[in-house]
């Protein structure tokens, strides 16, 4: 997931200046008072702070640099020699630092390219290079043994047809085509990256009858329009292309042949034809250098402004006269993925696991994605190992995982989670994920019961560039962004929230990294943490130029933000491992859910109003009268009438959740203040209730049409891919005009929230009883 701070000018009102100054020093006059260390009683704070200081003292930026150079020295995609060598190296490092480490291997379907070709056969001839030449000053890019241009889990095929330009290839783009009488059936489509996950583009093309799909990186969003191209700057050069998986992750992640079970040696497997996440049509990623001749050869109507990129051509819809030959042939065999799993058993609660993970495999060298985050995780593991040598041990069991096969479809993490599902649901109290990492701002997403903990830790880690805390710098950014020229209403809302003090919100998680099987499938409380926002990583994302040389110029040259990442994630892990009672706060979750319910109201009301306005315009023939007679564009199709939905069950559940959360948080505050004492037995009972809180937000039936996704609060969207949909059973039903289903899932979602409240109320009763 790529989260970037905008770089345009900022306009700040005089009333905001005192708050910005306060944020820069790490304080805000309106901030809500918080315990000295969330989750720890006054008599425990000094010891925990001293532990974290010792941990920080063992983090060394030179370690991160050295590991990154070694791990990214050769291509490390699934099946490559360096992928296995890296797994063995990481395992040996963990053992050297005192961890119990081993490699778990899974056999997954992993197609590898045998042959591909893309050529224009009429009206002129052109053969796409499908290669990425070496870049001056980047020795890694001179290697020729990397994975070629390829979209994993696209279909095999040899097709020829007229070319159609399809913008981003999202659902609304097909509506625009239909208004112009253009059909992609029997044709090859070319789409640009952006506006949605890459796998949706060929999936939708296939559903609309296209015989092939080409995906290119337009320089408007991923090249010279954003900044200087590599090697002068960090952005994608003309021949840079973006590999990636097109597996239909909206249905399930992991091995396509073993949904719901681990891909062990003896696992029962589907046939390839039975696997729903594999596409049937051929797909290829290409560079904008290869895309330009294809787009220039298209005729037909000129596309609207929102469809135009930055190439020096006039963008036309087609179809034709450009005719394209596209062929892809793959070896559809099983390949091993190597997960490194390292553990330190807890002394008091060994059956409560605090999990940490970052994937290790890349599309080529993977210096940015994922190894910049992976080396920060290694730094944490080494520092924890140093603590072990002093005699310290965690109260809960620490489990660190170096995942393989994330890039093709979260393979390593999903297969491990499915293999150990029952044990994880019984023992896991947290899964903390990371991926890429670079200069910039703290970015966190996940279960909102962990929002207070993230804020507390962020308030203790210093930002390397400013000396303020990471939280203070993030607060300042949010406040400044609200006064940026062209700021959105959401930016202004966030600015007001940040200026008011108190906790900053964390994001909801959809998909796109290894938290997915833990959170959305198993219902384990999860976080994903990174630093980002001041880099040019988009320029090399999934390309041959995601190299050590590029990262040390444009990512984190001093590796100071790698150290900050290790501090942030490491402190969270240590606090979750050491707190007597799990450091969760539920008011943030209750407020968040209340906001989601309000969004559903606005969504339904907005669609109802829009449908009525469209009907009026159609009845008045407004589109026909407004149209240019020389450029035929049909009016939009009528939208279904939107009924008034029954949100009462959700509203009642959300209201009760706020009451239950307030009662628990108040009782917990007394505990951490030292006003309430818990016996060991009662503390164990309380932690058992807290451990299972997130699982009560799942439903065994899963989401409509994709039963693997069981979390009813957060899920990746069917038409967003990585992007999250909150209260997804209801929200997506409204968005797709399935109103009976929306009413059904209003009740189903309210039921899991009610169960959540019941469990939380039992936890509150335990706290109030004390000893």
């Amino acid at each position: 997931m790529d989260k970037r701070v905008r770089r345009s000018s900022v306009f700040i009102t005089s009333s905001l200046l005192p708050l910005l100054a306060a944020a820069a020093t790490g304080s805000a006059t309106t901030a809500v008072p918080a315990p000295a260390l969330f989750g720890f009683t006054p008599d425990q704070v000094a010891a925990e702070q001293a532990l974290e200081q010792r941990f920080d003292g063992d983090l060394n930026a030179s370690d991160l640099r050295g590991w990154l150079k070694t791990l990214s020295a050769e291509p490390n995609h699934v099946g490559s020699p360096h992928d296995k060598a890296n797994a063995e190296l990481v395992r040996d490092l963990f053992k050297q630092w005192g961890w119990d480490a081993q490699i778990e291997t899974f056999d997954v379907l992993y197609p590898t390219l045998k042959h591909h070709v893309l050529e224009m056969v009429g009206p002129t001839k052109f053969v796409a290079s499908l290669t990425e030449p070496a870049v001056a000053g980047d020795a890694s890019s001179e290697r020729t043994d990397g994975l070629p241009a390829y979209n994993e889990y696209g279909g095999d095929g040899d097709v020829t047809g007229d070319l159609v330009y399809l913008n981003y290839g999202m659902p609304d783009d097909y509506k625009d085509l239909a208004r112009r009488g253009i059909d992609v059936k029997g044709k090859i489509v070319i789409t640009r990256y952006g506006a949605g996950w890459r796998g949706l583009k060929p999936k939708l093309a296939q559903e609309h009858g296209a015989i092939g799909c080409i995906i290119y990186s337009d320089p408007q969003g991923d090249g010279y329009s954003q900044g200087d191209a590599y090697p002068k700057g960090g952005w994608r050069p003309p021949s840079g292309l973006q590999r990636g998986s097109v597996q239909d992750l909206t249905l399930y992640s992991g091995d396509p042949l073993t949904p719901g079970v681990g891909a062990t040696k003896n696992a029962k497997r589907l046939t390839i034809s039975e696997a729903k996440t594999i596409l049937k049509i051929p797909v290829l990623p290409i560079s904008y250098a290869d895309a330009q001749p294809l787009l220039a050869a298209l005729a037909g109507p000129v596309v609207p402004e929102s469809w135009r990129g930055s190439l020096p051509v006039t963008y036309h819809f087609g179809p034709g006269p450009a005719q394209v030959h596209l062929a892809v042939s793959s070896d559809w065999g099983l390949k091993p993925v190597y997960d490194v799993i390292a553990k330190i058993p807890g002394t008091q609660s060994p059956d409560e696991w605090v999990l940490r993970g970052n994937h290790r495999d890349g599309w080529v060298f993977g210096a940015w994605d994922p190894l910049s985050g992976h080396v920060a995780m290694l730094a944490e593991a080494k520092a924890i190992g140093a603590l072990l040598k002093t005699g310290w041990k965690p109260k809960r069991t620490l489990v660190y995982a170096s995942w393989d096969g994330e890039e093709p479809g979260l393979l390593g993490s999903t297969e491990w989670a499915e293999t150990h599902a029952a044990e994880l649901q019984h023992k896991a109290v947290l899964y903390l994920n990371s991926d890429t990492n670079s200069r910039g701002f703290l970015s966190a997403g996940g279960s909102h019961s962990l929002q207070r903990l993230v804020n507390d830790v962020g308030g203790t880690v210093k930002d390397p560039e400013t000396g303020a805390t990471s939280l203070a710098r993030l607060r300042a950014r949010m406040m400044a962004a609200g006064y940026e020229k062209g700021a959105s209403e959401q930016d202004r809302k966030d600015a007001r929230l940040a200026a008011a003090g108190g906790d900053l919100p964390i994001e909801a998680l959809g998909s796109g990294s290894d938290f997915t099987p833990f959170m959305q499938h198993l219902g384990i409380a999860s976080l994903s943490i990174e630093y980002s926002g001041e880099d040019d990583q988009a320029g090399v994302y999934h390309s041959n130029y995601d190299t050590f040389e590029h990262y040390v110029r444009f990512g984190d040259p001093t590796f100071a933000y790698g150290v900050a990442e290790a501090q942030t994630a490491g402190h969270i892990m240590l606090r979750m491992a050491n707190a007597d009672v799990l450091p969760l706060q539920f008011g943030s979750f209750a407020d968040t859910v209340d906001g989601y319910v309000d969004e559903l109201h606005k969504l339904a009301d907005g669609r109802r109003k829009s449908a009525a306005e469209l009907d009026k315009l159609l009845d008045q023939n407004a589109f026909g009268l407004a149209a240019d007679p020389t450029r035929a564009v049909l009016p939009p199709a009528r939208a279904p009438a939107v009924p008034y939905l029954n949100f009462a069950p959700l509203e009642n559940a959300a209201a009760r959740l706020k009451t239950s959360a307030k009662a628990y948080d108040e009782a917990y505050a007394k505990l951490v203040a030292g006003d309430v004492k818990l016996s060991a037995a009662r503390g164990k009972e309380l932690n058992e209730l807290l451990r299972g809180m997130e699982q009560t937000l799942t439903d065994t039936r899963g989401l409509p049409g994709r039963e693997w996704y069981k979390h009813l609060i957060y899920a990746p969207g069917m038409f967003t891919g990585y992007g999250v949909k909150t209260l997804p059973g209801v929200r997506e039903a409204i968005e797709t005009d399935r109103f009976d289903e929306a009413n059904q899932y209003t009740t189903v979602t309210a039921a899991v929230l009610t169960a959540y409240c019941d469990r939380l109320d039992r936890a509150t009763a335990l706290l109030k009883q004390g000893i």
Side-chain angles (χ1 to χ4, degrees), residues 162-173:
D162 287 341
L163 189 66
V164 176
Y165 174 56
L166 194 50
N167 194 23
Y168 292 113
M170 293 291 105
D172 285 347
D173 297 325

Side-chain angles (χ1 to χ4, degrees), residues 224-347:
Y224 54 72
S225 287
Q226 296 294 319
D228 290 323
Y230 194 49
K232 182 179 180 180
W235 288 90
R236 192 176 301 273
S239 295
L241 54 90
Q242 184 189 142
R243 298 155 184 79
S245 176
V246 293
Q247 179 186 3
D248 191 357
L249 293 177
T250 63
L251 298 179
Y252 58 88
S253 70
D255 176 28
L257 304 185
T258 59
V261 298
T264 55
K265 183 178 180 180
N266 297 319
K268 184 178 179 180
R269 288 173 165 80
L270 302 175
T271 64
I272 292 175
S273 62
E274 292 173 326
K276 295 180 180 179
T277 59
I278 298 174
L279 298 181
K280 307 299 183 184
I281 64 172
V283 190
L284 267 186
I286 66 171
S287 65
Y288 56 85
D290 279 343
Q292 184 171 327
L294 302 178
L295 294 170
L298 286 172
V302 174
V303 304
E305 185 175 355
S306 63
W307 281 49
R308 300 170 194 167
S310 292
L311 289 171
V313 301
T314 300
Y315 287 72
H316 292 264
F317 285 106
Q323 193 171 61
V324 168
H325 171 221
L326 167 65
V328 178
S329 176
S330 305
D331 177 1
W332 291 83
L334 300 183
K335 294 286 190 299
V337 293
Y338 305 101
D339 290 340
V340 181
I341 308 297
K343 296 180 182 180
I344 298 174
T347 56

Side-chain angles (χ1 to χ4, degrees), residues 367-655:
W368 284 81
D369 179 12
L371 294 173
S372 59
H374 192 277
V375 296
M377 184 181 75
L378 289 181
E380 298 163 37
K382 182 181 179 182
I384 291 172
L387 293 177
L388 287 176
K389 293 176 182 177
T390 68
W392 170 86
K393 291 185 179 179
K395 294 178 181 177
R396 295 183 178 88
T397 294
L398 292 173
V399 181
Y400 270 54
S402 170
W403 304 120
D404 197 3
E406 187 267 3
E407 294 293 3
L410 317 183
L411 302 179
S413 58
T414 300
E415 300 317 310
W416 190 81
E418 289 177 338
T419 298
H420 301 280
E423 188 174 24
L424 287 167
Q425 288 184 314
H426 180 67
K427 296 179 179 179
V429 299
L430 169 71
Y431 174 72
L432 173 55
N433 189 71
S434 58
D435 204 315
T436 60
N437 195 72
S438 61
R439 295 188 311 113
F441 301 87
L442 173 62
S443 177
S447 306
H448 284 84
S449 57
L450 295 161
Q451 181 170 295
R452 172 87 279 276
L453 177 62
V454 172
N455 275 261
D456 199 54
V457 169
T460 63
V461 175
K462 281 192 175 182
D463 173 72
E465 292 178 326
T466 65
T469 68
S470 296
L471 189 71
R473 191 174 188 222
L474 179 59
R475 188 182 302 278
R477 175 203 181 186
M478 291 173 65
M479 290 191 292
Y483 289 84
E484 204 174 309
K485 186 176 182 180
S488 67
E489 180 53 40
Q490 185 61 49
D491 288 332
R492 296 187 183 95
K493 180 180 178 182
D494 289 344
R496 291 191 295 269
L497 186 152
D503 287 347
L504 299 180
I506 64 174
E507 298 181 2
L509 291 178
S511 188
S513 196
D514 291 303
F515 54 79
T516 292
F518 297 95
M519 186 178 197
Q520 277 110 357
H521 182 58
L522 298 181
I524 294 167
S526 299
L527 285 172
S528 191
I529 300 285
E530 68 178 50
Y531 283 81
S532 62
E534 295 178 329
D535 58 73
D536 290 338
Q537 189 261 352
V540 297
Y541 179 67
H542 288 192
S543 80
N544 194 53
Y545 311 119
D546 181 358
T547 61
F548 177 80
E549 291 87 344
H550 188 285
Y551 186 78
V552 296
R553 284 186 62 193
F554 302 107
D556 184 13
T558 66
F559 289 82
Y561 278 93
V563 172
E565 167 83 344
Q567 288 177 311
T568 306
H571 291 189
I572 291 172
M573 294 294 290
L574 290 173
R575 294 187 194 183
M576 287 295 291
N578 290 336
D580 287 339
V581 174
L582 292 170
L584 306 177
Q585 187 192 61
F586 297 95
S588 300
F589 178 60
D591 290 342
T592 301
V593 169
D594 191 57
Y596 294 160
V597 174
D598 185 56
E599 289 172 7
L600 294 180
H601 278 282
K602 292 177 180 177
L603 173 65
D605 291 345
R607 291 179 69 85
R608 186 180 304 107
K609 181 180 179 182
S610 177
E613 290 174 348
L614 177 59
D615 281 346
K616 185 176 180 180
L617 291 171
L618 291 171
D619 290 343
Q620 295 172 343
N621 192 30
F623 295 99
L625 294 172
D628 182 344
T630 67
R631 299 177 181 177
V633 179
L634 299 172
R638 291 185 185 270
V642 180
Y644 285 90
L645 303 172
N646 180 18
F647 291 121
L650 264 181
E651 291 169 337
N652 292 335

